[in-house]
Amino acid sequence: KNQVEQSPQSLIILEGKNCTLQCNYTVSPFSNLRWYKQDTGRGPVSLTIMTFSENTKSNGRYTATLDADTKQSSLHITASQLSDSASYICVVSEGYKLSFGAGTTVTVRA
Amino acid sequence: DTGVSQDPRHKITKRGQNVTFRCDPISEHNRLYWYRQTLGQGPEFLTYFQNEAQLEKSRLLSDRFSAERPKGSFSTLEIQRTEQGDSAMYLCASSPRTSGRNEQFFGPGTRLTVL
């Protein structure tokens, strides 16, 4: 069973709207939690990294939150743009080992 | 471009053939990782190098797979006697020695199709 579960599997939103992606994990202990953006056919690119003591981290229109007690994280995308269409992957780090979620595919439509 | 590079970007081969992929990490990154990603899934860890030493191999890495990093710089991943189930994206990542957060930087991947 995957130790990192993401929801929803996919979503479609209109340009300019906001959306929130969810990540639940069972990896313990962990060093940090990351969100990556992966465009089709490309490698993942890091958006945010949070340690267990951090509750939130922003990168432009992307804001990640972390609740280490409930082992949940979310990624909020504000004022979506067409270029936000991609897969967003939640990753939990145990030292050098990364456990990846299956990703949420976001499609932004004009 | 000083990012992680991988070559080739795409490879189509017939079942039973051998293939070799190359990864050039970011200069001075001493840690290098190989991952495999199938459609609709997140990447899965295959193996990890620190300098030229291969420190861990996943059980996913069968005997047909071998990875090397002979001089602690670029790395190669070879798959012998390819099978259709080997079709996937093979990702390479690197991280610097000083990264306490082990931030890994990914290459664009090599897409393998086994016919």
Side-chain angles (χ1 to χ4, degrees), chain B residues 9 12 17 21 45 67 76 81 84 95 99 110-111 114:
Chain B
R9 293 292 310 278
I12 300 174
Q17 298 295 306
F21 310 141
F45 171 80
T76 57
R81 305 181 303 282
Q84 288 186 324
S95 66
S99 174
T110 294
R111 169 74 65 189
V114 181

Side-chain angles (χ1 to χ4, degrees), chain B residues 49-68:
Chain B
F49 288 86
Q50 185 163 305
N51 299 311
E52 66 275 9
Q54 188 174 21
L55 298 187
E56 184 165 351
K57 294 196 300 184
S58 163
R59 57 182 172 80
L60 294 175
L61 218 63
S62 74
D63 292 345
R64 297 184 296 105
F65 289 71
S66 62
E68 295 182 343

Side-chain angles (χ1 to χ4, degrees), chain A residues 36-97:
Chain A
Y36 280 87
K37 178 185 179 186
Q38 185 174 25
D39 293 316
T40 302
R42 305 301 300 272
V45 175
S46 179
L47 292 176
T48 62
I49 299 178
M50 293 181 290
T51 66
F52 64 87
S53 61
E54 295 178 293
N55 299 121
T56 186
K57 184 67 68 76
S58 292
N59 178 1
R61 295 179 296 102
Y62 301 101
T63 299
T65 65
L66 173 63
D67 185 335
D69 291 332
T70 61
K71 294 187 170 61
Q72 295 179 326
S73 177
S74 66
L75 180 70
H76 186 75
I77 305 175
T78 303
S80 61
Q81 300 176 358
L82 296 177
S83 59
D84 292 332
S85 294
S87 178
Y88 292 84
I89 305 175
C90 176
V91 184
V92 179
S93 168
E94 307 168 75
Y96 67 83
K97 284 189 175 181

Side-chain angles (χ1 to χ4, degrees), chain A residues 34 38 43 95-97 100-101, chain B residues 37 42-43 56 101-102 104 107:
Chain A
R34 313 145 186 236
Q38 185 174 25
Y96 67 83
K97 284 189 175 181
F100 292 78
Chain B
Q37 185 176 25
E56 184 165 351
R101 293 188 168 190
N102 186 31
Q104 297 184 19

